[in-house]
Amino acid sequence: MAPELLEELSQRKEPEKGLSPLEGAELGVVMRFAPNPNGPPTLGSARGIIINSEYVKRYGGRFLIRFDDTDPVKKRPMPEAYGWYLEDCRWLGAHPKEVITASERLPLYYDVAEELIRRGGAYVCMCSQADFKAKKDAGRPCVHRSKGPEENMAHWKAMLDGGLDVGEAVLRVKTDIGHKDPALRDWAAFRIVTASHPLVGDRYRVWPLLDFESAVEDHLQGVTHIIRGKDLMDSERRQKYLYDHMGWNYPRTIHWGRIKIHQFGSFSTSKLRAAIEAGEYAGWDDPRLPTVRALRRRGIEAEALRKFMIELGVGETDISISMDTIYAENRKLVDGIANRRFFVWDPVLLEVVGDVPRRAQAPLHPDRDRGFREIAAGARLYICRSDLDRFGPGDRLRLKDLCNIEITSIDPPRASFIDSSPETAKASKLSIIHWAPLDGIPVEVKGPERDDHGIGEPGIRAELDSVVQFERYGFVRIDSIDPVVAYFAHR
RNA sequence: GCUCCGGUAGUGUAGCUCGGCCAAUCAUGAAGGACUCUCACUCCUUCGACUAGGGUUCAAAUCCCUACCGGAGCACCA
């Protein structure tokens, strides 16, 4: 037997790792991620960006990003957010072949609407919302449903040119008014909105609703596979009526459940936006927020998010995940590259009598050969209050990479020098604590749960924008150096 | 009220399409240990699950029914 065949056989036995295969993707795929740009990408968006783009990488084809920004009022787009999405996509390694902005393509949707009217697949409904709901719930058509195409076209034109006003009419797609699922009966495709849109101003007064816009774009772009939230399952069934009227083929769809994160609870972009505007958070990259930019600022690598999302996979179950899994992924990536530095939180000044070395040489990394950092030492040093509290007079311990000491007094904090040999410490199994020099610099750490203040070794100033490990504390990204502010990633 | 979807260890996930190879995979987590001048990383060991009840079958996590639990839609929001 040919060796390739043997190999293939043994590979097939391997448990399927990563994303499960997509049906009908063998010839390549066209997939899209379609956000509403009313805030920056969150962890949930990251899932959509990563999974969709990952499938495109795997099967070949086109990855698109499409801004579903067709509500200038209730889900008013933020002009900055369009760029934020592109920026975060790039950072996540997803490179859209094309960027589509729905608000700039209304004429295309109008064309489809008119063709649909001609085909008798839609009608202008002038019922009040309440009246229509009553009819719909009863499964009965309203009087407008039986109008002919010419009359509908005239009413449609009136919607467009101002003959009808806000709230007076909508264009509905004909489905099955008696369908057993009330959610599918004659849905609204266009409504009149006169508010100005942040991107296109008041050029249009008739705006499509998501089901219509999304359905038409998916067809125009030749989307082959849609992955979307389970909450949009009915959308698919609604949109299929439109596809039937137009004679189009519906893409394959996959749905995923809601994703909740322990540490952040449930969040919605509009809630976050309100909280930020109320001053509860410093901005969209506040470390307490589950946005992609906040995670990036904290030193979470894109690769960690990618691995995590791929591991999560695509399932219809609603899931509740823990950031710990992302942190574990990131820790592995970052451990090998992060320099080690001393940061003493809640510092107390310790006086050591005796022949304490004037300087310490500490490795930048415990097991990669990256050389040493020099730290000024001396008789007076900072240590963590919590460390001091663990000891009493007579206790011996080691100051990492410096010397061994014996505590002589807690208040005031005093110790005496024993020797410098690491062997002594090893032989008597001394606890090893870290420290900061008298000429240490103030360091502030901003984290998702709390902020810490303390003193760090001056060399931290050389680490701007990189991820370092504060020994016995955790991984942080140095966000600024004058003064030093670090963002906490995880332990 | 009507309709739709889901329910595998603490948390996720594989397996379910085409029942047996599942005394159920992997990751994370927890516990213990090794290594280590960090409570990091790495390595080793251990813990831990098919929601419940019926049915079909020689055989069910896998098929069918019911119950329970969870989520969602029924907007001139996305």
Side-chain angles (χ1 to χ4, degrees), chain A residues 432-467:
Chain A
I432 296 164
I433 68 168
H434 68 293
W435 50 277
L438 200 56
D439 72 343
I441 55 175
V443 170
E444 180 182 7
V445 181
K446 289 181 182 292
E449 274 141 33
R450 60 167 200 283
D451 297 347
D452 281 318
H453 299 264
I455 308 237
E457 54 174 275
I460 293 170
R461 285 211 190 94
E463 303 275 12
L464 178 62
D465 208 32
S466 46
V467 176

Side-chain angles (χ1 to χ4, degrees), chain A residues 211-231:
Chain A
D211 275 324
F212 190 88
E213 178 268 327
S214 177
V216 170
E217 283 295 358
D218 285 335
H219 174 258
L220 293 179
Q221 300 304 324
V223 168
T224 58
H225 299 257
I226 300 171
I227 305 182
R228 62 175 153 215
K230 234 180 12 172
D231 51 324

Side-chain angles (χ1 to χ4, degrees), chain A residues 100-112:
Chain A
I100 292 142
T101 304
S103 59
E104 292 168 346
R105 293 163 60 86
L106 262 51
L108 290 172
Y109 312 145
Y110 290 170
D111 289 347
V112 175

Side-chain angles (χ1 to χ4, degrees), chain A residues 243-414:
Chain A
Y243 272 62
D244 286 347
H245 285 133
M246 298 301 291
W248 299 341
N249 285 319
Y250 205 80
R252 288 174 192 259
T253 52
I254 299 174
H255 299 97
W256 53 31
R258 278 215 173 282
I259 176 167
K260 214 166 54 188
I261 294 143
H262 296 327
Q263 287 82 348
F264 295 108
S266 51
F267 49 86
S268 72
T269 306
S270 31
K271 262 196 217 161
L272 293 183
R273 190 170 175 174
I276 288 170
E277 279 161 10
E280 285 172 46
Y281 298 103
W284 287 104
D285 54 3
D286 187 294
R288 289 166 291 178
L289 261 27
T291 57
V292 170
R293 49 220 312 108
L295 295 174
R296 178 167 60 224
R297 194 171 194 187
R298 289 169 52 195
I300 306 295
E301 309 258 309
E303 186 58 20
L305 293 179
R306 297 184 64 79
K307 283 188 167 164
F308 173 76
M309 295 300 175
I310 289 166
E311 169 79 17
L312 259 193
V314 188
E316 289 196 15
T317 339
D318 296 322
I319 56 175
S320 176
I321 55 151
S322 168
M323 285 301 293
D324 290 345
T325 315
I326 294 179
Y327 294 157
E329 213 64 73
N330 198 61
R331 195 177 291 121
K332 287 176 200 160
L333 293 170
V334 131
D335 183 72
I337 58 174
N339 282 338
R340 269 48 174 177
R341 297 287 183 178
F342 287 156
F343 161 66
V344 172
W345 55 98
D346 195 11
V348 293
L349 193 58
L350 175 72
E351 277 212 47
V352 187
V353 297
D355 204 9
V356 180
R358 291 276 162 67
R359 34 193 43 230
Q361 276 214 323
L364 279 166
H365 195 280
D367 42 49
R368 310 269 159 128
D369 193 15
R370 277 232 289 286
F372 295 86
R373 64 221 212 243
E374 285 229 331
I375 311 169
R380 295 160 55 168
L381 302 161
Y382 293 103
I383 63 171
C384 292
R385 157 128 274 142
S386 53
D387 279 328
L388 182 66
D389 287 347
R390 290 159 50 212
F391 301 106
D395 286 339
R396 305 166 81 194
L397 56 103
R398 177 165 177 83
L399 298 172
K400 188 167 185 282
D401 303 313
L402 184 64
C403 65
N404 308 310
I405 57 172
E406 178 173 325
I407 300 291
T408 52
S409 151
I410 297 296
D411 191 16
R414 291 279 149 76

